Amino acid sequence: MRLGLRLDKWILGFTRRMSLRGKIVVLFVMILLLPTLVLSSGAVYGVIRSFHRSYVNTAEEAVQQTAQIVDFSKKSYDLLAVRTATDGELIARLGREYADMTEVVDTVNYVDRTFLITSKYLPGIADFRIYHTNETLVQDGQLLWRPEDRMLSGMTERAWYDEAKRSQSPLFWSSVPGNPNQSVITRKIIDNTGNLIGMVYILLNYNAVFGEVLDHPFNDGSLYIVDDAKRILAATDRADIGKRLQLQAWPDGSAPAAASPEDGSVVDLTGTKDMLMTRPLSSHWTLVALMRTKHLDNQNRTVLILIVGIITFFLLLSLSLMTTIVRNIVRRIRKLGTRMADLSRGEFEAAVRYSENDELGELENRFNSMSERLGKLVEDITKSGLAEKEQAFKALQAQINPHFIYNSLGLLRWRAMDADDQEQIRIIDALTTFYRITLNNQISVIRIRDELEHVRAYLDICQFRYPGRVRVEWEIDEEALDFYTIKTVLQPIVENCYLHGAITRRPGAVIRIAVSREGGVMRMSVHDNGQGIPAAVLRDIERGAHVGKGSGFGTPNIKERLALYFGSEAALTIESEPGAWTRVSIAFPACIAEPTIRREA
């Protein structure tokens, strides 16, 4: 506490001889300028680091996706070569000694029939051949071939066959010398004794296999796909295909490739300053991504200049504004604040006296106008909210086209009269009466006699559905019929007797509907001897926490509409004994004139 007092005295003594402008400038420098510079420096560093991490994460994700695509593509073509080279029937036929031309023709037909379609499974296959050294088996020039002196992928067939024979791997990929637009897959065909009896040769179109993935990978970046000998099989720059790639470190921990400066056959990336990423693929392949950092450096420089410029601009602007307006603003703002506090308490008549015609005087003038308009707006918003509630209730009733229903019922009644079906006529008349009120979207309140007519129509329909199962008793005060009530208030309650009370399953089922006037209060009730309501459900209904499973107007809707027109003077109560009976009672003011929505609702 003493330290705080001493600090206050020191600050007051230090600024006592300063003008208000000087005090604000010192305050601005100590509280705003210095912390802003420190925090902005940290923010600039954080933003640049965030950009860098975002760039690296994006690049890593792109490299990972590219690796997955290349790996999947490689496995697809490898699988085609392996399935062909390990086909048991093919191995048996290539290793057989043929003495009959019929057997030779049968083998040729088998190979063409089996592998001609297989060679078209994947896109980008320019040529598909099966080479063999069986002197008793012919070559048909289509799929079956014998290695001779014909040119094949930049070398003779014999040279290619001998080179593939010396390879330690049964399957390998290679580039075509002098033709970067093609790649070759070679797979040895070995019999059950381990002897080499042939080769599968697949010539691939580079564009179809690697072109779309590697041609434009990043901004000024490059991609390389290298085999286990670190030789480039595919690259963004196709001139590098066939060369060896040299890195400082490989994912498998192998040493850098030895350079061959005499023929320029090495792509050396050991000393690059750009970002390098490597991803191992299947069969000892590696995807190498080289991403130029020039774009990232330019982006960081632009962000740095932009942030520093914005911070400097707003600091200078805020300093200028503070020193300009401080002379006259404090006193008038305090007065304005006092009046605003009055306004927050609901005193919309609060006003500010003003004599100056500057911006603050205009603010004071507008405050006076605002306080006057706020009172009107609050009243308008209240009325608008009430009107929206009324429109929402009407929207619930506007789901069916009334004219379509009436026309359809009229057509059905005409057909029933033509058939002299009196029972059907009574059903249609009950439906017509029921929908006449339900579908009338122009009214929300009706007389009690109309509401009872609506309920009778619904009960007539139910009696046709469940003939003789339910007895309906009416206890109606004739003097109450001309008073007003809310539309569709009794019918949902009666409907619940059937839907939830299971009244039709009870022997001696009775629904008793009573309407009476007691002084200035109208009372309506619906009593049934159905299955009743469990106590827990009844408590939830009273708290408004129960969610029904049906549609239409439920108990909460009826309560809300009663409160909207009669306020707290209306009440809806539910009494029930589980397994015995249920009584729903409604009480509201007796209105001989049509009621309207109340503001306090």
Side-chain angles (χ1 to χ4, degrees):
M1 181 64 70
R2 292 181 179 179
L3 181 61
L5 292 175
R6 290 179 181 179
L7 183 61
D8 291 343
K9 291 181 179 180
W10 181 84
I11 293 175
L12 292 175
F14 177 74
T15 60
R16 182 171 298 167
R17 295 178 180 270
M18 294 182 181
S19 63
L20 183 59
R21 182 189 298 270
K23 293 178 181 180
I24 296 299
V25 170
V26 171
L27 187 65
F28 175 80
V29 172
M30 298 299 295
I31 296 180
L32 184 61
L33 181 60
L34 292 180
T36 300
L37 292 177
V38 174
L39 293 176
S40 61
S41 300
V44 170
Y45 175 78
V47 169
I48 292 177
R49 291 289 299 172
S50 177
F51 273 125
H52 185 269
R53 286 195 300 268
S54 177
Y55 182 83
V56 172
N57 292 339
T58 303
E60 288 180 347
E61 183 177 353
V63 171
Q64 184 64 30
Q65 291 179 353
T66 303
Q68 292 175 354
I69 294 173
V70 172
D71 208 13
F72 178 79
S73 179
K74 177 184 183 300
K75 289 180 179 179
S76 299
Y77 290 101
D78 287 352
L79 181 61
L80 177 62
V82 170
R83 284 185 175 179
T84 302
T86 57
D87 183 81
E89 182 67 18
L90 177 65
I91 293 173
R93 289 179 180 271
L94 292 183
R96 181 188 307 172
E97 292 291 334
Y98 292 91
D100 187 357
M101 183 56 66
T102 303
E103 295 180 354
V104 172
V105 173
D106 181 63
T107 295
V108 171
N109 289 337
Y110 168 77
V111 172
D112 291 343
R113 181 177 63 252
T114 304
F115 299 103
L116 188 61
I117 298 177
T118 302
S119 65
K120 298 179 181 179
Y121 280 170
L122 298 174
I125 298 179
D127 197 2
F128 185 94
R129 298 184 182 185
I130 299 173
Y131 280 88
H132 67 89
T133 56
N134 190 338
E135 295 296 335
T136 63
L137 180 63
V138 300
Q139 55 178 334
D140 65 346
Q142 186 167 349
L143 291 182
L144 283 176
W145 295 78
R146 282 202 296 262
E148 296 181 352
D149 292 330
R150 294 181 294 264
M151 294 302 297
L152 182 72
S153 301
M155 62 181 71
T156 64
E157 293 175 334
R158 295 183 188 276
W160 165 78
Y161 195 90
D162 293 338
E163 181 179 342
K165 186 176 180 180
R166 291 191 298 270
S167 175
Q168 298 296 323
S169 175
L171 185 147
F172 60 91
W173 291 55
S174 60
S175 57
V176 177
N179 189 354
N181 294 322
Q182 291 181 333
S183 298
V184 175
I185 302 177
T186 303
R187 177 59 166 88
K188 296 179 181 179
I189 303 176
I190 302 173
D191 62 12
N192 296 332
T193 61
N195 296 321
L196 179 67
I197 60 174
M199 295 280 182
V200 175
Y201 170 87
I202 302 176
L203 182 64
L204 300 178
N205 187 321
Y206 180 92
N207 290 327
V209 180
F210 300 113
E212 184 177 353
V213 178
L214 301 185
D215 281 352
H216 304 286
F218 310 103
N219 293 327
D220 300 328
S222 300
L223 284 176
Y224 302 91
I225 299 177
V226 298
D227 57 15
D228 53 350
K230 306 303 184 288
R231 190 168 299 278
I232 299 174
L233 297 175
T236 301
D237 185 1
R238 300 189 185 184
D240 294 335
I241 296 176
K243 298 180 180 179
R244 293 172 63 84
L245 185 66
Q246 185 174 4
L247 298 180
Q248 190 67 34
W250 290 89
D252 57 3
S254 59
S260 301
E262 67 279 0
D263 57 3
S265 60
V266 172
V267 177
D268 188 1
L269 298 180
T270 57
T272 181
K273 301 297 183 182
D274 294 321
M275 187 184 304
L276 273 174
M277 292 186 182
T278 58
R279 292 290 184 276
L281 306 178
S282 62
S283 302
H284 306 290
W285 280 19
T286 304
L287 175 68
V288 180
L290 175 66
M291 287 158 286
R292 309 296 180 185
T293 58
K294 179 180 178 181
H295 174 73
L296 181 60
D297 294 340
N298 292 337
Q299 186 182 42
N300 291 339
R301 188 181 301 108
T302 302
V303 171
L304 177 62
I305 294 174
L306 181 62
I307 293 178
V308 171
I310 291 175
I311 293 174
T312 303
F313 171 77
F314 280 104
L315 285 176
L316 294 176
L317 179 62
S318 60
L319 177 62
S320 176
L321 291 176
M322 289 177 66
T323 56
T324 301
I325 66 176
V326 71
R327 292 172 300 177
N328 192 41
I329 195 172
V330 175
R331 177 183 59 84
R332 296 168 67 185
I333 283 184
R334 285 179 178 174
K335 183 172 63 174
L336 187 60
T338 302
R339 296 297 182 268
M340 291 180 69
D342 296 338
L343 186 63
S344 67
R345 291 192 296 268
E347 299 177 10
F348 298 109
E349 295 79 10
V352 178
R353 293 183 180 180
Y354 65 95
S355 58
E356 300 182 23
N357 294 323
D358 57 4
E359 290 79 7
L360 193 54
E362 183 180 355
L363 179 62
E364 293 166 341
N365 182 28
R366 292 186 176 181
F367 173 81
N368 294 334
S369 300
M370 180 188 67
S371 62
E372 181 181 353
R373 293 180 59 189
L374 275 177
K376 296 180 179 179
L377 287 174
V378 169
E379 183 177 0
D380 292 343
I381 290 172
T382 302
K383 292 180 179 179
S384 176
L386 297 175
E388 287 180 0
K389 287 186 177 180
E390 176 66 11
Q391 291 299 324
F393 293 141
K394 290 183 178 180
L396 290 174
Q397 305 168 5
Q399 303 299 318
I400 305 176
N401 187 327
H403 296 290
F404 175 80
I405 296 295
Y406 295 152
N407 292 338
S408 299
L409 291 174
L411 177 62
L412 293 174
R413 192 177 192 279
W414 178 83
R415 295 294 297 270
M417 291 177 62
D418 186 63
D420 196 21
D421 189 343
Q422 295 302 319
E423 183 176 357
Q424 188 174 357
I425 291 174
R426 290 195 300 273
I427 295 174
I428 295 172
D429 288 341
L431 284 171
T432 303
T433 302
F434 178 82
Y435 284 121
R436 177 171 55 81
I437 295 177
T438 302
L439 301 180
N440 189 347
N441 301 326
Q442 305 301 319
I443 60 172
S444 297
V445 294
I446 59 175
R447 296 187 185 276
I448 292 177
R449 68 171 68 253
D450 295 329
E451 177 67 12
L452 293 176
E453 182 182 5
H454 183 228
V455 174
R456 285 191 178 93
Y458 176 79
L459 287 170
D460 289 342
I461 297 171
C462 291
Q463 292 289 17
F464 283 117
R465 293 182 61 193
Y466 311 105
R469 297 189 189 180
V470 181
R471 187 176 78 256
V472 180
E473 297 179 357
W474 301 86
E475 297 177 4
I476 308 301
D477 184 357
E478 295 295 326
E479 295 181 358
L481 296 180
D482 290 327
F483 287 85
Y484 280 92
T485 182
I486 305 300
K487 172 187 170 182
T488 319
V489 71
L490 280 180
Q491 183 271 330
I493 299 173
V494 175
E495 183 177 0
N496 285 339
C497 299
Y498 288 87
L499 295 180
H500 306 298
I503 190 68
T504 58
R505 302 175 187 173
R506 306 283 290 189
V510 177
I511 297 177
R512 185 178 300 108
I513 302 172
V515 178
S516 64
R517 175 189 175 191
E518 298 177 8
V521 178
M522 300 300 303
R523 298 191 182 276
M524 298 181 178
S525 66
V526 177
H527 178 279
D528 70 88
N529 60 347
Q531 65 182 6
I533 304 174
V537 177
L538 188 58
R539 287 194 298 270
D540 290 341
I541 293 175
E542 291 173 352
R543 295 198 313 267
H546 179 69
V547 179
K549 299 181 180 179
S551 59
F553 295 110
T555 301
N557 181 277
I558 297 174
K559 288 184 177 179
E560 186 175 357
R561 291 191 295 138
L562 286 171
L564 187 63
Y565 282 89
F566 302 110
S568 59
E569 299 176 7
L572 186 147
T573 58
I574 303 177
E575 303 168 270
S576 182
E577 182 177 340
W581 55 270
T582 301
R583 181 187 297 111
V584 181
S585 302
I586 300 173
F588 54 91
C591 296
I592 196 63
E594 184 173 343
T596 58
I597 297 178
R598 294 193 176 191
R599 178 175 178 176
E600 60 269 19

